[in-house]
Amino acid sequence: MRGSGFRNDIGGEQVKCAHDELPYRIGDKWTAHVLRGLQDGRRRFTELRAGMPVVTPKVLTETLRAMERDGTVTRTEYDENPPRVEYELTEQGHKLLGLLDLCCEWARENLVET
Amino acid sequence: MRGSGFRNDIGGEQVKCAHDELPYRIGDKWTAHVLRGLQDGRRRFTELRAGMPVVTPKVLTETLRAMERDGTVTRTEYDENPPRVEYELTEQGHKLLGLLDLCCEWARENLVET
DNA sequence: CCGCATCCTTTAGGATACTG
DNA sequence: CAGTATCCTAAAGGATGCGG
């Protein structure tokens, strides 16, 4: 899938990108939901999934793996049976969540109702 | 294409979205480039296009039309021959550009070099 | 010059089924 | 429970050519 992340240059600044042109992958379909789902603390895979619109485990896993690579979430695996895995936002993840809030605020204030 | 914009609900907040989950369409491939290209003032279609990576006129037009509908750019058509059209950021567009800057800043500070 | 029409490719994301 | 493995669909985006 998107994997390693690309290099790009918007306005002369080198940034790491999701789909080439936008800094980071907030633009994809599920990252924002993960940020929201983890804003109040660590959650298990199933908890997280239950707290958002219907998404297949495959896609949610891909999203989480990408966010882990990018350093916005951590993944903790417990050696139990049945298995247990918990995800948590990193400091950077929380900062990104703050940006998401700003975007939502902008949208509310500036986009007219259709 | 994407057209009218969708309603969505992230963290209990209603926002207008591009691809359903993210407030607004910054997440697409060309909006960020348009914001950068117009940050210093009005530009003609060809000027704008020349100042960014290779994009077909069709796709750039679609992007501009969408941004126009959303109120982030204005389109001014002059009755000349050959035709001349100029695009300019609105107040809202400039605010959005500010958010883009924050995202770039976040990316630079928080994403490790691969 | 500023597009629009048409056709085509790529890929994010979804459906379904199955394991350690 | 927490995922993989396969296959498939939809839609964003690209290539090319024409027109006012």
Side-chain angles (χ1 to χ4, degrees), chain B residues 44 46 61 65 75 83 85 87:
Chain B
R44 305 181 57 159
T46 309
T61 300
R65 291 286 186 277
R75 178 180 184 277
V85 175
Y87 293 92

Side-chain angles (χ1 to χ4, degrees), chain B residues 85-103:
Chain B
V85 175
E86 290 185 351
Y87 293 92
E88 187 173 19
L89 287 190
T90 62
E91 193 61 32
Q92 303 171 25
H94 279 288
K95 288 183 198 165
L96 187 59
L97 178 57
L99 289 179
L100 177 61
D101 286 329
L102 288 179
C103 288

